[in-house]
């Protein structure tokens, strides 16, 4: 891959988990970003312990050679909360723009069960046609607002949401305008569908519309237990559903090849939430960085 076009980041969720604050509660912001840099990454997304003042955050990141490349944003268009979503989005957009980010990774969180004690494979929401229309209208407007700052909006397909499966991603992409992009997450599509083919197919189908990439692997043994016991998404996270690229079931070589052939330009971010007490974040970050270098030359 071209080092001038593809940059590597890592998410702070391996150090401190936003959805499960007890995971990594002992880890500080300074430790997190210092270890990111030491492991060889130059980008980060935003975690719950990061300073909210842009100038303070910039100064702490710049000295470590780290920059912000994206930050999660929840939308609630299907629930009819357009006004509140738009207002919060503008604040979020302006913060990311000030931090130098060009991508805004969004997730439609209406009726999401990802943070609830519900069976992740049995109780996910499904949108009605009317709700899909609200979502498409909302994301088209977000794209226009992002463009005002020279930024792009991307949809993060995610377990436990109404945009999880390939069919749901297809519907979203078909109903939105061409300036609405996809945040491709290898772990979430594999978790949802359980096959390498599904991961490769989704990437190939939308590679020209992908604005941001999350690299995470999946442990089949844990997924099997989650299914058999009807466990929640967060139960799976604590048990180790996700891990770094090269440590699970996904073959990443064909994914890297597809991105390279399409001349992908942007960030690839390792996002592998685990319990840091069981999976030392720094050690796993180093292992992930070495794996990516070996497979891509980056």
């Amino acid at each position: 891959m071209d080092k001038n076009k593809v940059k590597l980041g890592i998410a702070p969720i391996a150090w401190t988990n936003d959805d499960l604050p007890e995971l990594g509660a002992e880890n500080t912001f300074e430790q997190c970003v210092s270890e990111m840099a030491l492991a060889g990454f130059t980008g980060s997304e935003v975690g719950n312990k990061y300073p909210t003042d842009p100038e303070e955050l910039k100064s702490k990141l710049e000295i470590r050679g780290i920059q912000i490349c994206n930050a999660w944003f929840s939308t609630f268009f299907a629930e009819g909360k357009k006004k509140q979503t738009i207002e919060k989005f503008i604040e979020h957009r302006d913060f990311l723009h000030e931090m130098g980010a060009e991508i805004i990774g969004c997730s439609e969180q209406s009726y999401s069960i990802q943070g609830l004690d519900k069976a992740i494979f049995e109780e996910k929401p499904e949108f009605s046609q009317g709700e899909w229309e609200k979502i498409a209208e909302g994301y088209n407007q977000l794209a226009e607002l992002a463009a005002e700052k020279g930024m792009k909006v991307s949809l993060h397909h995610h377990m436990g949401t109404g945009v999880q499966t390939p069919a749901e991603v297809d519907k979203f992409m078909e109903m939105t305008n061409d300036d609405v992009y996809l945040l491709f997450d290898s772990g979430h599509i594999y978790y949802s569908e359980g096959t390498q083919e599904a991961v490769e197919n989704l990437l190939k189908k939308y590679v020209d519309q992908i604005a941001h990439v999350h690299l995470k692997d999946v442990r089949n043994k844990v997924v099997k237990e989650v299914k058999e016991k009807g466990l929640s998404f967060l139960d799976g996270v604590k048990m180790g559903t996700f891990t770094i690229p090269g440590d699970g079931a996904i073959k990443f070589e064909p994914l890297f090849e597809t991105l390279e052939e399409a001349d992908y330009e942007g960030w690839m971010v390792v996002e592998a939430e685990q319990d840091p007490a069981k999976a030392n974040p720094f050690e796993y970050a180093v292992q992930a960085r070495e794996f990516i270098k070996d497979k891509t030359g980056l």
Side-chain angles (χ1 to χ4, degrees), residues 156-174:
H156 185 343
H157 56 95
H158 199 287
M159 289 293 293
T161 74
V163 193
Q164 171 186 305
T165 68
E168 290 164 346
V169 173
D170 287 344
K171 191 169 184 68
F172 175 85
M173 296 301 286
E174 288 165 4

Side-chain angles (χ1 to χ4, degrees), residues 152-213:
K152 291 179 179 178
V153 158
S154 60
L155 185 281
H156 185 343
H157 56 95
H158 199 287
M159 289 293 293
T161 74
V163 193
Q164 171 186 305
T165 68
E168 290 164 346
V169 173
D170 287 344
K171 191 169 184 68
F172 175 85
M173 296 301 286
E174 288 165 4
M175 293 185 69
T176 51
N177 295 335
D178 290 343
D179 57 353
V180 176
Y181 295 83
L182 186 67
L183 187 161
F184 173 78
D185 189 302
S186 59
H188 279 282
I189 193 61
Y190 185 91
Y191 195 179
S192 174
E193 305 305 305
T195 69
Q196 176 76 22
E197 182 182 21
V199 181
E200 293 182 27
N201 287 348
L202 190 71
L203 179 60
K204 288 177 181 177
K205 186 169 188 176
Y206 294 109
V207 68
D208 293 329
Q209 280 293 105
I210 290 171
H212 200 66
V213 173

Side-chain angles (χ1 to χ4, degrees), residues 77-285:
F77 292 118
E79 292 182 16
K81 298 178 180 178
K82 181 178 180 180
K83 183 175 182 293
Q84 303 97 308
T85 297
I86 294 294
E87 288 174 353
K88 291 182 179 179
F89 178 83
I90 291 172
E91 294 179 8
H92 187 80
R93 174 202 67 180
D94 292 350
F95 169 77
L96 283 180
H97 182 259
E98 191 166 352
M99 293 305 303
E102 298 177 348
I103 304 298
I104 308 170
C106 302
S107 174
E108 176 57 31
Q109 286 289 295
S110 294
Y111 321 119
S112 170
I113 66 165
Q114 70 186 62
L116 303 179
D117 186 22
K118 292 189 174 184
I120 192 65
F121 282 100
E122 299 166 11
E123 300 182 72
K124 73 173 289 299
E126 293 185 4
F127 299 132
S128 67
Q129 181 61 26
E131 288 168 339
W132 275 113
E133 290 170 1
K134 290 179 182 178
I135 293 167
E137 179 186 7
Y139 271 80
N140 287 338
Q141 187 170 345
L142 294 188
E144 292 176 1
L145 291 168
E148 292 177 358
K149 299 287 187 179
M151 303 174 76
K152 291 179 179 178
V153 158
S154 60
L155 185 281
H156 185 343
H157 56 95
H158 199 287
M159 289 293 293
T161 74
V163 193
Q164 171 186 305
T165 68
E168 290 164 346
V169 173
D170 287 344
K171 191 169 184 68
F172 175 85
M173 296 301 286
E174 288 165 4
M175 293 185 69
T176 51
N177 295 335
D178 290 343
D179 57 353
V180 176
Y181 295 83
L182 186 67
L183 187 161
F184 173 78
D185 189 302
S186 59
H188 279 282
I189 193 61
Y190 185 91
Y191 195 179
S192 174
E193 305 305 305
T195 69
Q196 176 76 22
E197 182 182 21
V199 181
E200 293 182 27
N201 287 348
L202 190 71
L203 179 60
K204 288 177 181 177
K205 186 169 188 176
Y206 294 109
V207 68
D208 293 329
Q209 280 293 105
I210 290 171
H212 200 66
V213 173
H214 279 174
L215 300 175
K216 62 160 68 79
D217 216 333
V218 173
R219 295 184 175 103
N220 280 336
K221 183 179 179 181
V222 180
V223 174
K224 183 174 183 288
E225 186 174 353
V226 169
K227 286 182 176 180
E228 291 175 348
K229 296 182 178 179
L231 301 178
S232 72
F233 177 74
L234 295 183
D235 286 333
V237 168
K238 288 185 283 188
M239 291 162 55
T241 295
F242 296 126
T243 185
I244 55 169
D247 190 45
I250 300 174
K251 296 181 178 66
F252 281 85
E253 292 87 345
L255 306 184
F256 292 142
E257 289 172 9
T258 295
L259 290 166
E260 185 172 17
E261 288 170 2
D263 203 25
Y264 173 75
E265 186 168 357
W267 287 90
M268 296 197 305
V269 177
V270 174
E271 191 208 33
E273 55 264 45
Q274 301 185 73
D275 182 348
K278 299 177 182 177
N280 182 279
F282 175 62
E283 293 176 7
Y284 272 79

